[in-house]
Amino acid sequence: MYHIKNLEQYLTDYKYSVEEPELFWEGIAKNNFTWQKKWDKVLSFDFSKPEFKWFEGAKLNITENCIDRHLKENGNKTAIIFEPNDPKEKEEHISYNELHARVCKFANVLKSQGIKKGDRVCIYLPMIPDLAISTLACARIGAIHSVVFAGFSSNSLATRINDSECKMVITSDGSFRGNKCIDLKSIVDEALNSCNTIETVLVAKRTNSSVSMNTPRDKWLQPLLDAAKDECPIEIMDSEDPLFILYTSGSTGKPKGMVHSTAGYMVNTAYTFKNIFQYEENDVYWCTADIGWITGHSYIVYGPLLNGATTLMFEGVPSYPDWGRFWEVVQKYKVNQFYTAPTAIRAIAKENISHVKKYDLSSLKILGTVGEPINEEAWQWYYSNIGQKKCPVVDTWWQTETGSIMIAPVPSAIEPIPTFATLPLPGIQPILVDADGALIKDHLVEGNLCIQFPWPSIARTIWGDHQRYKDTYFSKFKDRYFTGDGAIRNEKGYYRITGRVDDIILVSGHNLGTAPIEDCINEHPLIAESAIVGYPDDVKGNALYGFLTIKSSINGNEHEELYRQINKLISDKIGPIAKLDKIQFCSGLPKTRSGKIMRRILRKIACKDADNLGDTTTLLNPEVVDEIINHAV
Ligand code: WTA
């Protein structure tokens, strides 16, 4: 039941998973993992609280399943290949035996620094082996890791550290990305000026840049690792103990710390990894995401290692030293499964095809995409040029909140078609509902995508704010999980994800809430009000358009300067990813009579669809609409 081999099996397993969900997941859990104690009950749940418990009563440690379990037969197999940013630097091949030793050493260092089960540890590292190793080290001793993408600003880092009251930060002196060298440690130092729960900062050496060490808080990692023992017993965890927190943007307010638990997450990520990538012994698998995002957690670290796979970690970017880098790496390691984001495909497709043609890509078997809808052109380019029309393109839909892939064509069973994520994996029950929550049974009608039955890797709560968890995902439609995405379904039952239906915009596959960006802009002394909307962009999927009103009138040159200042403010407070691509200064923003900004209108203007605005006469200030249209950028 663990490995879906063909369509017939997919259909049988799917039917069984809907009719007997507990028996279905129990069958997978029982035979493919090491348990210190089996569960008393497979599932209990209550959508109204909401509460979900999987494999209740079971005891385990996920790192025993990711590492120890493979040592006897596969100790010398490569677990992690590390490909550095600079192709001239030597790569690393870390065997399962070595991974075991390094995770144990790291875990012993954490313990020696006073980290205990349940403590939160913030990890702010570039894509170097210590990132994977430190997450596993936390899991080994039952500490809850909170990995923060190392492209986030000091302000974003501080917000995340404070929200979950982390005791430790693990970082490095710096990071390499393309031809840039980023001073990570000073970003941490700045963040910690506004954090008071951090007791220790462990600093890995990566760039050898000079950093200031604030003793006794800051400690170099290497000497501690050198002195640590390479054996560390596992902490026995309950199935429902939190494994990690990972922050994702909300449509309003501060980021949401999604909490994932141990056993359900383990079973679900392992099962989906095996089936989406049809991983076979000796395959080399590569996901280009950063471990700072859920894709990296589930499909660089946990999913592959749970299956005893060889997983590649890449430190660099697709354009360095030139746009052929991905394919050079595929050729170098004979990569069999390649998983990336549509935004990367579009960026590469714009460049000269000779960057692709130079390399031997014949090892590839499966191509995956994730993070945003993939447009037909990008899909076809990927399928023809990278897969040479031989590899299925698996469009995987899922979320930070879902923990694992939910809807995607399992390649052994379903023939992919462009722009459709196609069918749910066994165990996943998607539905479409209209604005009132009524079930949509028809085809080719757009609806709100919901999931009507729990699955093992559903996030259990938002750290410190269970009410927000309930309000965001379980209140709009009763007794179902609301994804925040819209979708349509064709006559074969295939799902096509149409995009967010809330105020989250996907820029290069990264979720950005509009409210936090607006709050940041509004802090500028000259800005009275702002509204951010998305508009289509060839490479990034969506780009950001800001409509801003200023407090006092300024002249043309000053506009330029203000534009620069605003993007600097956003870069510093949120991160460069949230910078605005277009800014329009307006005398007012269109509002309803109750004072709400009508983003729908601004969205149409930004998308150059202003002929189609609908009725604007009920606005409080209809006159501003023409002015905004006339001066649109
Ligand atoms: C979007 C990433 C269309 C969607 C794993 C979702 C997608 C959000 C796809 C979650 C896809 C992700 N097709 N849209 N294949 N995959 N999305 O939390 O809007 O970073 O709600 O998780 O990305 O983004 P997140």
Side-chain angles (χ1 to χ4, degrees):
M1 194 155 49
Y2 185 67
H3 181 195
I4 303 168
K5 297 201 176 71
N6 51 41
L7 176 62
E8 195 187 342
Q9 193 196 338
Y10 165 80
L11 294 171
T12 317
D13 288 359
Y14 189 78
K15 187 160 176 282
Y16 185 53
S17 79
V18 173
E19 287 168 359
E20 298 285 355
E22 295 188 36
L23 292 177
F24 169 77
W25 285 111
E26 179 163 50
I28 290 169
K30 209 163 46 187
N31 299 318
N32 299 288
F33 303 90
T34 302
W35 301 91
Q36 292 290 324
K37 173 183 173 290
K38 292 255 164 72
W39 45 92
D40 305 316
K41 196 168 186 323
V42 177
L43 168 66
S44 55
F45 70 98
D46 180 346
F47 270 110
S48 69
K49 284 186 176 170
E51 183 178 84
F52 307 98
K53 290 186 177 164
W54 282 91
F55 309 110
E56 220 176 329
K59 306 273 182 198
L60 72 155
N61 186 288
I62 196 168
T63 71
E64 178 175 35
N65 284 277
C66 287
I67 309 170
D68 305 46
R69 191 159 63 102
H70 309 308
L71 296 184
K72 206 160 139 230
E73 286 180 6
N74 275 323
N76 292 324
K77 177 175 176 177
T78 301
I80 297 176
I81 299 173
F82 169 62
E83 169 68 14
N85 177 61
D86 180 352
K88 292 203 258 340
E89 188 182 329
K90 180 117 189 68
E91 79 265 15
E92 267 187 70
H93 295 259
I94 303 171
S95 68
Y96 274 92
N97 281 330
E98 186 186 344
L99 184 63
H100 180 262
R102 289 177 69 173
V103 169
C104 285
K105 275 176 171 276
F106 211 123
N108 285 324
V109 169
L110 296 178
K111 281 203 222 169
S112 74
Q113 300 302 314
I115 299 296
K116 295 184 299 297
K117 178 174 177 176
D119 286 344
R120 274 80 60 207
V121 173
C122 174
I123 304 177
Y124 187 71
L125 279 173
M127 280 286 284
I128 56 175
D130 280 331
L131 173 50
I133 290 167
S134 58
T135 56
L136 292 162
C138 287
R140 191 151 188 101
I141 65 166
I144 302 171
H145 56 76
S146 167
V147 182
V148 177
F149 171 58
F152 273 124
S153 68
S154 59
N155 195 284
S156 300
L157 175 62
T159 309
R160 286 158 176 79
I161 290 172
N162 288 334
D163 183 69
S164 47
E165 299 174 303
C166 294
K167 265 175 85 172
M168 175 187 269
V169 182
I170 303 170
T171 189
S172 63
D173 48 359
S175 74
F176 295 124
R177 277 183 78 69
N179 50 21
K180 283 195 230 139
C181 177
I182 300 146
D183 211 353
L184 281 196
K185 174 65 167 62
S186 58
I187 300 176
V188 171
D189 289 341
E190 200 180 319
L192 295 191
N193 286 335
S194 44
C195 301
N196 55 23
T197 57
I198 296 294
E199 294 167 7
T200 316
V201 179
L202 296 182
V203 189
K205 268 209 166 128
R206 175 62 186 131
T207 54
N208 281 317
S209 29
S210 73
V211 300
S212 70
M213 296 292 273
N214 174 342
T215 47
R217 185 195 71 185
D218 303 353
K219 301 188 168 83
W220 288 109
L221 177 63
Q222 197 57 46
L224 295 172
L225 286 174
D226 291 342
K229 282 212 315 245
D230 61 3
E231 280 290 342
C232 174
I234 53 169
E235 183 78 36
I236 310 277
M237 305 298 286
D238 280 338
S239 53
E240 282 299 318
D241 278 338
L243 173 64
F244 65 84
I245 302 169
L246 184 61
Y247 286 87
T248 186
S249 302
S251 49
T252 53
K254 61 179 182 180
K256 300 171 292 198
M258 304 313 305
V259 179
H260 280 283
S261 73
T262 305
Y265 177 81
M266 173 178 83
V267 170
N268 216 156
T269 53
Y271 173 71
T272 49
F273 173 79
K274 173 74 186 168
N275 288 301
I276 292 302
F277 300 106
Q278 295 284 310
Y279 186 85
E280 290 171 74
E281 195 58 48
N282 302 322
D283 282 350
V284 175
Y285 160 86
W286 181 20
C287 165
T288 69
D290 192 289
I291 295 176
W293 311 113
I294 191 69
T295 305
H297 280 61
S298 301
Y299 299 107
I300 296 178
V301 181
Y302 289 112
L305 297 178
L306 286 163
N307 283 280
T310 299
T311 175
L312 197 153
M313 268 183 87
F314 174 51
E315 185 186 28
V317 292
S319 56
Y320 180 81
D322 61 45
W323 283 98
R325 187 67 192 278
F326 274 4
W327 322 120
E328 183 212 329
V329 175
V330 167
Q331 173 180 287
K332 180 170 175 190
Y333 299 107
K334 301 197 171 43
V335 169
N336 302 109
Q337 293 91 358
F338 179 76
Y339 192 27
T340 196
T343 183
I345 298 166
R346 289 190 298 258
I348 294 169
K350 278 197 142 178
E351 302 298 322
N352 199 310
I353 192 73
S354 64
H355 289 303
V356 178
K357 297 276 186 240
K358 261 202 276 192
Y359 299 101
D360 176 6
L361 305 180
S362 60
S363 57
L364 289 169
K365 296 194 281 191
I366 285 171
L367 302 175
T369 83
V370 59
E372 58 183 312
I374 175 161
N375 50 310
E376 168 123 27
E377 201 184 339
W379 194 101
Q380 295 292 2
W381 186 91
Y382 195 29
Y383 179 65
S384 309
N385 294 296
I386 305 306
Q388 289 150 18
K389 300 200 175 167
K390 284 188 299 224
C391 310
V393 172
V394 186
D395 179 357
T396 64
W397 174 84
W398 59 297
Q399 309 178 295
T400 304
E401 295 84 340
T402 69
S404 315
I405 296 170
M406 303 286 278
I407 305 182
V410 172
S412 53
I414 297 151
E415 177 135 8
I417 51 170
T419 73
F420 280 81
T422 73
L423 293 172
L425 271 98
I428 307 303
Q429 300 186 33
I431 50 167
L432 297 180
V433 300
D434 69 17
D436 303 320
L439 200 62
I440 299 176
K441 297 216 171 102
D442 302 339
H443 296 307
L444 297 169
V445 179
E446 187 160 3
N448 297 294
L449 180 64
C450 294
I451 314 291
Q452 66 172 353
F453 195 82
W455 62 101
S457 64
I458 183 174
R460 302 298 195 261
T461 189
I462 291 174
W463 184 266
D465 198 348
H466 197 68
Q467 187 60 42
R468 188 174 180 203
Y469 174 70
K470 180 173 177 170
D471 294 345
T472 312
Y473 305 107
F474 302 94
S475 299
K476 193 156 181 200
F477 307 112
K478 193 169 172 288
D479 288 345
R480 19 194 86 144
Y481 165 82
F482 176 43
T483 65
D485 282 330
I488 55 175
R489 196 175 38 217
N490 74 7
E491 50 300 321
K492 286 164 93 176
Y494 285 15
Y495 286 88
R496 173 185 192 157
I497 313 301
T498 47
R500 302 289 313 180
V501 295
D502 54 16
D503 286 331
I504 289 176
I505 305 176
L506 294 169
V507 177
S508 298
H510 302 317
N511 298 6
L512 297 176
T514 51
I517 307 176
E518 289 162 6
D519 291 348
C520 167
I521 297 172
N522 296 348
E523 278 177 29
H524 191 288
L526 284 179
I527 301 297
E529 226 177 6
S530 61
I532 309 296
V533 299
Y535 66 95
D537 178 271
D538 282 354
V539 173
K540 300 199 280 188
N542 293 294
L544 299 178
Y545 192 131
F547 295 90
L548 277 45
T549 60
I550 2 192
K551 286 179 182 157
S552 50
S553 65
I554 56 176
N555 66 37
N557 292 343
E558 288 168 325
H559 278 153
E560 285 287 308
E561 173 57 18
L562 191 53
Y563 188 163
R564 210 188 51 72
Q565 286 175 7
I566 284 167
N567 268 339
K568 166 105 181 33
L569 193 62
I570 297 174
S571 256
D572 292 347
K573 292 253 158 168
I574 300 172
I577 178 87
K579 284 203 288 197
L580 304 184
D581 301 276
K582 289 183 180 177
I583 289 188
Q584 179 174 359
F585 297 104
C586 326
S587 65
L589 299 176
K591 293 199 178 153
T592 62
R593 290 188 186 265
S594 62
K596 266 185 99 164
I597 298 173
M598 286 289 277
R599 283 161 209 285
R600 184 178 59 76
I601 292 178
L602 296 174
R603 219 172 278 136
K604 292 221 166 200
I605 297 174
C607 296
K608 305 214 177 305
D609 187 20
D611 296 341
N612 218 336
L613 286 185
D615 185 12
T616 55
T617 54
T618 56
L619 291 175
L620 189 68
N621 50 352
E623 70 286 352
V624 299
V625 176
D626 281 338
E627 178 213 298
I628 296 177
I629 294 174
N630 291 336
H631 294 96
V633 212

